[in-house]
Amino acid sequence: MFEKILIANRGEIACRVARAARALDVKTVAVYSDADANALHVRACDEAVRLGPAPARESYLEGAKVIAAAKQTGAQAIHPGYGFLSEQAEFAQACAENGIVFVGPPPAAMRAIKDKAQARAVMRGAGVPVVPGSDGHVGEEVAARRLPRRSAIPCW
């Protein structure tokens, strides 16, 4: 169990993670851009660290800034929420290299399924059924139209 985690996201998902952490008596650190300085997720956490200007590429997507914020506050883990850094194997790897736990899949798993065709091959190799479709990249609409159609699955 961790004593403190940094939530590398904003909005509703960050609030959910903060609420769950609080229920486990885990302290939380929010990160925010200038545009989010007064946002609910910032108030929902025990501490907050400014990452930078409003554009995500200058704040939330700056993995080095997020890791620096975790180190500065003594957070032992980083929860990426979804989007932003949650699917970046390089960020998960950087967390590990800095002695910080990435709350999510290991970098090797992220790399293995980053490409849809590769992910399908990995799943097939593991015996997981996959939806019919192409076995590789389909680069043009005409080729996509030649793929077998999926049968309709009732939704109820």
Side-chain angles (χ1 to χ4, degrees):
M1 185 61 80
F2 307 110
E3 292 177 23
K4 187 186 291 188
I5 64 169
L6 182 142
I7 305 167
N9 215 295
R10 63 183 177 193
E12 185 267 340
I13 187 63
C15 291
R16 276 192 190 178
V17 174
R19 187 171 48 248
R22 183 165 287 110
L24 297 170
D25 288 325
V26 175
K27 298 288 183 195
T28 55
V29 178
V31 290
Y32 63 92
S33 71
D34 291 342
D36 296 325
N38 296 311
L40 182 59
H41 79 279
V42 174
R43 293 176 298 193
C45 291
D46 299 297
E47 298 175 58
V49 176
R50 177 188 175 274
L51 293 178
R57 70 183 173 281
E58 296 178 37
S59 54
Y60 297 101
L61 290 171
E62 284 283 341
K65 289 181 179 180
V66 173
I67 289 171
K71 287 180 164 186
Q72 171 190 330
T73 59
Q76 297 123 328
I78 294 176
H79 191 301
Y82 56 81
F84 288 137
L85 300 170
S86 67
E87 298 174 7
Q88 291 188 15
E90 299 77 18
F91 178 70
Q93 184 67 46
C95 287
E97 290 168 359
N98 281 277
I100 299 167
V101 174
F102 177 80
V103 180
M110 294 168 84
R111 286 185 188 100
I113 63 169
K114 188 169 187 167
D115 175 80
K116 190 174 186 178
Q118 182 178 337
R120 289 172 60 82
V122 168
M123 294 301 107
R124 278 195 185 110
V128 176
V130 296
V131 175
S134 79
D135 289 323
H137 177 71
V138 178
E140 56 187 55
E141 182 180 347
V142 173
R145 289 181 185 276
R146 287 193 300 258
L147 293 174
R149 295 211 177 241
R150 296 181 202 158
S151 61
I153 299 172
C155 235
W156 56 90

